[in-house]
Amino acid sequence: MTFEGVLTKMESEFSDPIQYYLVFETDFLNMNQLLNKTINIQFIKYQCLNCGLDKPIYRQGFCKSCFYEVPQAADWVMRPELSTAHLDKEDRDLAYEKKVQLQPHIVYLANSSNVKVGVTRKSQVPTRWIDQGAHEAIEIVEVPNRYLAGITEVALKEHVSDKTNWRSMLKNDIKDEDLVEWREHLKQYIPNEAQDYFITNNIETNLNFPVLKYPLKPKSLNLEKEQAYSGKLVGIKGQYLIFDDEMVFNIRSNEGLFIGISVN
Ligand SMILES: [Zn+2]
């Protein structure tokens, strides 16, 4: 069977273990079913997620001109503290910004290689944690808009990391942390505007990824350069496919690549 389509991040289902799906325009692949099978991936062309043209992908699945135009790639997406919709102030498209920014957001702690703080829309819990390959996570603050989540994250970053080490995450070089204890410790650093939104009564969420074998020295597949790759799938964690020869392929950072995928 051969499937073709443009890569977008895998969809997932929070079950034990997590289920992953590669969704193309006309096909839908449950990646868990491909574990232990040899799959071939071929680069065919680019397809910008906005304009659809065969132009090199710059960032986040967009060609360079779209990246600097579309509201989904504005600075406040990566830096929530720059959000201004709550002030009725437009960045690129106020209607879009109001829809995305003015909804409940969560500031969380997730442990994928170390404890880190992050922000997500409430509707994206636990998807965001799955995408990061976190094996445990907890909500610490639930606020009504993205700006408040952003300034809370900025304040907490002074006291806890905001980065993940993807190699450690893939090697499963991890330790369990008491996230409830971390939350209690960080409470004092939450800005005044967000103090009332502190969450006190929930517990850690644990996530179990479908991995048969972790790589000791993960190597990242550059599909644009190699054009094609073939290997036995032995795991999926975060947005990475993990292969038997220790090659890993980050689906999310390859969004916008139009590929062919076949299963032996
Ligand atoms: Zn484009």
Side-chain angles (χ1 to χ4, degrees), residues 111 115 135-136 174-179 204 206:
N111 183 7
V115 179
H135 65 280
E136 53 185 358
I174 55 177
K175 67 171 183 175
D176 279 320
E177 297 267 5
D178 185 340
L179 297 181
E204 282 180 21
N206 289 286

Side-chain angles (χ1 to χ4, degrees), residues 48 51 63 66:
C48 169
C51 67
C63 71
C66 288

